[in-house]
Amino acid sequence: MGIRQIQVTRAIEKIVKYYLLEGKYPTLQTITYHFGQWLRGNVPGAPGFKATKLFRRQKSDTDLYNSDIRLIHQDISDAYEATIQQTTRIMSDFTFADTERQKMWNLLAGISKKVDQLLLVSQNGAGYVDANILNFYDMSSVNGQRTTAYINLKDRQVTLRENERNSNKVLLNGSQAKFNSLTANVVHAALETINNAFDDDINSAWWQVVKVDAPTTIQAELIVVFPQEEEINEVVYVAHSVKPVFMQLEYTYDGLTFSPIPGEKDKRKVVDKSVWSFSKITVKGIRFSFEKKDHDDYSGGVYQYYFGAKNITASKKDYVSEGILYTTPIVFDTPNINQVSIKAGHEIPHGTEVDYEVASYDESKDLDTLLWFPISSLDETTPKYAKVVEFSARPTKFVEMAKAEPTLEIKNGMQVFRLIKDDGDGTLPHDFEEMRNQVLMRGINQWRRERTYVKFDGTMPLNGSWKDQYDNRPEAVRIDYLAISNTLSLKRDGGGSTDNFYRFTTCIQSDETRVVPMSLAILKSQENGPKKRMGAFAVYVNQKRLVASNEEVTITLEPGWNEIQVLYHFGNMQMRQDFIETELPNETYLGKFNLALEKRVRADKEPLKLVDAHTLYYNISPNSRDCFAIYEQQVVLNYLPKSCIFQLSYEVEDSEAQNNQVVLRAMLKREENVPHISPKINLIEVRAR
């Protein structure tokens, strides 16, 4: 509000106040008339005091003097008030703009991260990321000392190691093989004997020529009949021809009828070598079906098509149950790697699996001590793990704050409270822009105690009753925090001397399923007579009420965080009425379950929600205590917590930690009932940003 608005508002208030003091309610026309008269003698926004010339005898006129002093004082007061209001508005606008800038910066950072992830998993994104390809032409990319899988450099693939005790090779010779042309009106002859295909000598080869007068597609076959039935699960064909041949492998039980190998119904293009791996089958023979579309030579008016093989083998192979591939450090041009994805070319038959893991390489650490992240290939339609792994150098920082104090700042009529450490310092070590994934936990190693007064009627206290208290009379609920212990304080310091309704809450993290008993001291011994029951109780675990027997419950802790709530309602059980203040207990006990032995305990299971400072004080109810903001490098709240220990955790970029090396490992496995099958890895493309 500027000086002009202040003067106009004061003039209108003066007009209205005059008529109200006279016992009249001014109409709009009356106010407009008097306000118009005021405008004739005053300029809104200009000083009310004007320099005037006085006659000599008027210099001693105190009324005139005091009137001028009042006008000067009014003008100065208006300027002062306008300056404060304008400054406050500017600061508020600046805070809002700065908050919006930070929100936009975080939003853009998230969008940038999402774009990087999309590039890493895009089929055509290799040109936009740093990529390395492992193709197993040699052992340069393999850590031979740690790798237990078999690296087949000849076939350029990684498989499980062969179990040689249970493996055997079928003995083949040329007398068992026969080549037939399936295309009519052709002439074929063997340029090199068929025996060369089965001598295990790569320097010799079988070579067959098919001649035809006009170019056409040549269909042919090579049938190999075994002397007896054999179990096989792998056939290798090393080709010897000029141009590619399309081939299909088939098998026979009787030597007459042939069927395609399971899962191999289509012909494959063979240029150099082809390997068929399949589930173990018992066969009497195999057949190679050939198809060649282009002639290899033309001479003397005859088109010549060549078929041949340097080596043909059929075998039954058994494999060990598992093996691991470790790569050598993969070095990228990017100075610091944040995200990694892989594209794996592999064959995973039914009953086998391949799991990939990546880690940021640190030469000072053993490979087993690195932090390994499971990852799935980016082309998988149903990935088992994440397709993008993020292991940027972001160490997690922890700041524990056990005190709180009000600041001198007021926002929207609400006082601002900040958290401070034991030394009284509330400034965080890092700026808000440097922090990532801020999480504020409340009640570290503490109970959260809630207490209020509810008329005692002898019934069991329930969580639903507490919900009614927060819905209908939240101002009557007193909340504080107590150190974790088996002794529960019921003292009513700081108000609420008649409070008899209590709820104690804490959360315990368990690594495994545990069953523990817990007893409650609800009976009090009397000097003369039996023990006296002090009230009713209930125990909840993960929002489920437990059934008590003889003041004892059995608690089942599941893996992860478990919320335990103990409710008390104290009163005279016999008369079903309230205790007087002197009869109310000051403490109670929990037995059998030693809470002091628990390593990870906090009062609130869920963390507080991070919002910006403007939202905290303008858009959130003052009764809501589940939000916090980081404002001017401090943790601020909209309430003053009592004896509560907070822990702020966040990640920061470590500018000194630069790492552009990644290691990968692949775990190849097979099920026990398929010893004759192995997964195969042909190629791995590792991408990084």
Side-chain angles (χ1 to χ4, degrees):
M1 187 183 294
I3 295 176
R4 174 189 177 93
Q5 187 63 37
I6 293 173
Q7 291 175 339
V8 170
T9 302
R10 185 170 56 247
I12 295 175
E13 287 180 353
K14 185 176 180 181
I15 296 169
V16 174
K17 187 182 295 185
Y18 171 79
Y19 278 94
L20 291 177
L21 291 176
E22 293 291 331
K24 301 176 183 178
Y25 189 82
T27 63
L28 179 61
Q29 291 81 357
T30 301
I31 297 174
T32 304
Y33 170 75
H34 288 287
F35 183 62
Q37 286 186 328
W38 180 84
L39 288 176
R40 293 188 186 97
N42 299 275
V43 178
F49 171 77
K50 300 179 179 61
T52 57
K53 293 183 178 180
L54 301 177
F55 294 106
R56 182 176 298 176
R57 63 174 175 269
Q58 290 180 310
K59 291 183 179 179
S60 59
D61 189 340
T62 57
D63 293 335
L64 184 60
Y65 178 82
N66 290 334
S67 177
D68 289 342
I69 292 297
R70 281 194 294 270
L71 289 174
I72 294 172
H73 178 268
Q74 187 67 66
D75 290 339
I76 295 175
S77 298
D78 290 348
Y80 178 72
E81 182 181 354
T83 302
I84 292 177
Q85 292 180 355
Q86 292 289 347
T87 303
T88 302
R89 181 177 180 180
I90 292 172
M91 292 178 63
S92 178
D93 291 344
F94 176 81
T95 301
F96 178 78
D98 186 61
T99 300
E100 291 299 313
R101 180 186 65 82
Q102 293 177 1
K103 289 169 62 178
M104 189 174 296
W105 188 90
N106 285 329
L107 181 61
L108 290 174
I111 294 174
S112 176
K113 178 180 176 181
K114 185 65 175 179
V115 170
D116 288 344
Q117 291 177 346
L118 292 174
L119 288 175
L120 287 171
V121 300
S122 172
Q123 294 286 352
N124 301 318
Y128 302 93
V129 296
D130 200 352
N132 277 317
I133 297 178
L134 312 178
N135 45 29
F136 309 111
Y137 280 94
D138 52 38
M139 294 292 291
S140 61
S141 60
V142 178
N143 186 334
Q145 294 181 342
R146 303 297 298 268
T147 297
T148 59
Y150 175 58
I151 312 299
N152 188 341
L153 298 180
K154 183 184 294 186
D155 297 333
R156 302 167 192 153
Q157 60 185 208
V158 181
T159 64
L160 293 172
R161 288 191 178 275
E162 186 178 342
N163 187 351
E164 297 182 355
R165 292 183 179 181
N166 299 326
S167 301
N168 65 278
K169 191 178 192 180
V170 179
L171 297 177
L172 302 176
N173 57 65
S175 63
Q176 303 167 350
K178 183 180 180 181
F179 178 84
N180 299 313
S181 175
L182 304 179
T183 304
N185 301 321
V186 301
V187 177
H188 65 86
L191 302 179
E192 296 290 344
T193 176
I194 191 69
N195 292 326
N196 292 343
F198 307 106
D199 60 3
D200 288 334
D201 186 358
I202 203 70
N203 295 316
S204 62
W206 156 63
W207 207 11
Q208 194 88 11
V209 62
V210 176
K211 300 180 180 181
V212 64
D213 294 335
T216 185
T217 298
I218 300 298
Q219 305 279 349
E221 65 180 9
L222 176 66
I223 299 176
V224 182
V225 180
F226 301 159
Q228 59 187 11
E229 290 186 347
E230 299 282 356
E231 290 183 340
I232 64 172
N233 62 356
E234 183 181 273
V235 175
V236 180
Y237 187 98
V238 182
H240 179 62
S241 60
V242 178
K243 293 186 177 180
V245 181
F246 291 89
M247 298 177 58
Q248 183 181 26
L249 178 65
E250 299 172 305
Y251 68 96
T252 180
Y253 291 120
D254 54 11
L256 300 173
T257 305
F258 290 88
S259 302
I261 293 294
E264 294 285 346
K265 295 183 179 180
D266 298 328
K267 286 184 172 65
R268 61 171 65 175
K269 185 177 180 180
V270 178
V271 178
D272 181 21
K273 178 181 179 180
S274 186
V275 179
W276 287 267
S277 297
F278 43 88
S279 299
K280 184 173 61 176
I281 54 177
T282 302
V283 302
K284 189 68 172 60
I286 56 177
R287 178 172 72 179
F288 298 97
S289 297
F290 303 111
E291 180 181 292
K292 199 162 193 178
K293 299 180 179 180
D294 299 324
H295 63 276
D296 297 297
D297 192 14
Y298 176 75
S299 177
V302 177
Y303 293 90
Q304 301 180 17
Y305 296 80
Y306 297 115
F307 300 89
K310 296 180 181 179
N311 197 30
I312 299 174
T313 60
S315 56
K316 183 194 78 170
K317 288 188 175 182
D318 273 16
Y319 299 92
V320 297
S321 60
E322 61 182 30
I324 301 180
L325 164 69
Y326 280 91
T327 68
T328 54
I330 305 168
V331 182
F332 293 92
D333 295 333
T334 305
N336 194 27
I337 298 301
N338 292 323
Q339 297 175 322
V340 169
S341 67
I342 66 169
K343 184 178 181 181
H346 50 215
E347 300 174 26
I348 306 178
H350 179 71
T352 66
E353 62 178 275
V354 179
D355 290 330
Y356 299 95
E357 292 182 337
V358 292
S360 180
Y361 180 66
D362 187 346
E363 61 181 5
S364 64
K365 296 181 180 180
D366 186 81
L367 289 178
D368 291 333
T369 62
L370 296 178
L371 184 59
W372 292 93
F373 296 89
I375 189 172
S376 293
S377 179
L378 62 88
D379 54 357
E380 291 188 21
T381 55
T382 56
K384 186 178 179 181
Y385 306 107
K387 292 184 179 181
V388 177
V389 165
E390 182 177 1
F391 46 73
S392 58
R394 288 183 180 174
T396 301
K397 304 292 184 181
F398 296 93
V399 180
E400 194 167 286
M401 294 162 283
K403 298 179 180 179
E405 66 178 10
T407 65
L408 300 179
E409 192 170 358
I410 303 294
K411 286 182 175 288
N412 195 27
M414 300 167 58
Q415 195 163 11
V416 178
F417 302 95
R418 68 167 187 162
L419 298 180
I420 59 176
K421 293 174 280 190
D422 290 336
D423 58 4
D425 183 15
T427 304
L428 297 176
H430 299 88
D431 293 331
F432 179 78
E433 289 82 357
E434 300 174 334
M435 301 180 187
R436 298 290 183 275
N437 302 325
Q438 303 95 326
V439 177
L440 183 64
M441 304 307 305
R442 185 165 47 191
I444 305 302
N445 293 319
Q446 289 183 308
W447 286 100
R448 182 178 75 243
R449 184 180 70 167
E450 301 158 282
R451 61 185 175 95
T452 188
Y453 168 77
V454 174
K455 185 175 177 59
F456 184 76
D457 58 5
T459 59
M460 179 182 295
L462 301 175
N463 266 338
S465 301
W466 274 105
K467 185 178 183 302
D468 293 339
Q469 298 300 311
Y470 280 106
D471 290 343
N472 301 319
R473 44 196 298 267
E475 70 285 347
V477 178
R478 295 171 178 83
I479 303 175
D480 55 6
Y481 291 79
L482 308 174
I484 196 71
S485 170
N486 283 62
T487 301
L488 304 180
S489 174
L490 304 173
K491 293 182 178 180
R492 292 160 290 278
D493 300 331
S497 59
T498 60
D499 287 348
N500 61 352
F501 197 44
Y502 289 81
R503 181 167 66 177
F504 293 86
T505 304
T506 196
C507 300
I508 296 173
Q509 189 180 46
S510 178
D511 295 328
E512 58 185 1
T513 301
R514 289 188 291 158
V515 178
V516 292
M518 185 174 72
S519 61
L520 295 91
I522 200 69
L523 300 177
K524 181 180 180 181
S525 300
Q526 300 184 92
E527 296 181 359
N528 298 315
K531 292 183 178 180
K532 179 181 179 181
R533 180 176 290 273
M534 301 298 293
F537 72 91
V539 178
Y540 286 79
V541 175
N542 297 325
Q543 298 298 318
K544 294 181 180 180
R545 185 168 58 85
L546 304 183
V547 178
S549 176
N550 297 324
E551 286 72 49
E552 184 174 313
V553 295
T554 300
I555 296 177
T556 301
L557 299 177
E558 301 293 340
W561 285 97
N562 298 268
E563 184 183 56
I564 300 175
Q565 293 178 304
V566 184
L567 284 66
Y568 295 99
H569 198 180
F570 295 103
N572 191 320
M573 291 293 292
Q574 292 180 341
M575 305 299 296
R576 296 293 195 268
Q577 64 184 21
D578 294 333
F579 282 142
I580 61 175
E581 290 187 25
T582 57
E583 292 179 316
L584 288 171
N586 288 322
E587 64 182 13
T588 186
Y589 306 94
L590 301 176
K592 296 189 177 181
F593 185 12
N594 191 350
L595 295 169
L597 298 180
E598 299 299 324
K599 297 180 180 179
R600 286 160 292 186
V601 179
R602 63 174 184 245
D604 290 359
K605 187 175 182 179
E606 299 298 329
L608 278 72
K609 180 181 178 182
L610 174 64
V611 298
D612 57 80
H614 184 273
T615 300
L616 181 63
Y617 294 102
Y618 288 89
N619 299 335
I620 293 178
S621 169
N623 292 325
S624 175
R625 301 183 176 184
D626 297 327
C627 299
F628 77 103
I630 297 179
Y631 172 64
E632 295 184 351
Q633 213 170 334
Q634 300 177 103
V635 177
V636 295
L637 305 173
N638 61 348
Y639 76 101
L640 182 63
K642 184 178 180 182
S643 62
C644 180
I645 300 175
F646 290 83
Q647 185 184 72
L648 175 69
S649 64
Y650 58 90
E651 297 175 355
V652 292
E653 296 283 356
D654 190 352
S655 58
E656 298 180 357
Q658 299 290 322
N659 191 2
N660 64 340
Q661 299 184 68
V662 174
V663 286
L664 178 144
R665 69 181 179 190
M667 289 158 284
L668 297 81
K669 299 178 184 178
R670 65 162 178 82
E671 296 179 359
E672 292 297 329
N673 59 344
V674 286
H676 51 279
I677 298 179
S678 170
K680 298 178 182 178
I681 303 175
N682 302 309
L683 177 144
I684 303 176
E685 179 184 347
V686 185
R687 301 180 179 182
R689 286 282 286 185

